[in-house]
Amino acid sequence: APAAKGAAKTGCGVELWVQTPDGKVGGYIDCAYKDENGVVVRDYKSGFIYEPSAVIDAERTVKGEYATQLRFYAALYNLTFGEWPTKLELLPIQGPPVRIAFDEKLCMGLVSQARSALEKVNAIITRPDVEARQNLITELATPSAIPLRMPTSQMAGPQMNGVSLRRSNLSLMGVSHCF
């Protein structure tokens, strides 16, 4: 696994690498630290963190891809360090941290979806038929080809929309290829 900046054995640090036990799915958490309640996983954002409609709505909704990314990291944190974070936060450049609610079972479902995506990608890139492989690779290049989704029926809020793997710090590694 890549080396983390910070005290990786404690589960705290910056640019902290987390992954599945087999090392095939992983990513870098911007920051993990302990507060009085346990581990906080924090992701820094330089842009606007709310859905565009939130500019005019009284109730702001965090962009779905940001919430999904943090929930995914929560599951990877658990798989790496054997404990769940107690809090997930987005920290925009301006403004206070924004807490993201999460459910452990649904977070683990994101990891399962990522594994399925990895298997799909590996099946495509290892196909012996070059023409068919090229067509499938072109199909995969679309932004929504392999979404990670939180079931909206099981978690409230429009922030559960899908996120393309290409729009996060997510790493999927398999066979002899990187995604």
Side-chain angles (χ1 to χ4, degrees), residues 39-116:
V39 175
V40 178
V41 170
R42 180 178 274 181
D43 195 54
Y44 300 108
K45 296 296 179 195
S46 59
F48 195 64
I49 65 168
Y50 297 104
E51 294 290 354
S53 62
V55 174
I56 55 174
D57 290 346
E59 186 175 316
R60 292 180 155 187
T61 302
V62 170
K63 289 182 180 180
E65 59 264 28
Y66 294 164
T68 300
Q69 179 184 9
L70 268 171
R71 291 176 180 124
F72 182 77
Y73 286 160
L76 290 176
Y77 186 92
N78 172 263
L79 291 169
T80 302
F81 297 107
E83 68 176 298
W84 284 93
T86 55
K87 194 185 315 180
L88 304 179
E89 293 180 340
L90 285 174
L91 184 62
I93 286 179
Q94 294 183 337
V98 176
R99 192 168 183 175
I100 303 297
F102 69 101
D103 174 275
E104 295 171 4
K105 183 178 177 185
L106 296 176
C107 291
M108 292 304 287
L110 291 171
V111 174
S112 295
Q113 289 177 47
R115 283 185 182 283
S116 295

Side-chain angles (χ1 to χ4, degrees), residues 65 140-148 161-170 179:
E65 59 264 28
L140 279 177
T142 60
S144 62
I146 305 177
L148 288 183
N161 297 332
V163 58
S164 167
L165 297 177
R166 286 167 212 51
R167 291 189 287 169
S168 74
N169 295 344
L170 172 64
F179 180 70

Side-chain angles (χ1 to χ4, degrees), residues 2-18:
K5 295 177 185 171
K9 291 188 187 286
T10 66
C12 294
V14 296
E15 294 185 24
L16 186 67
W17 179 257
V18 289

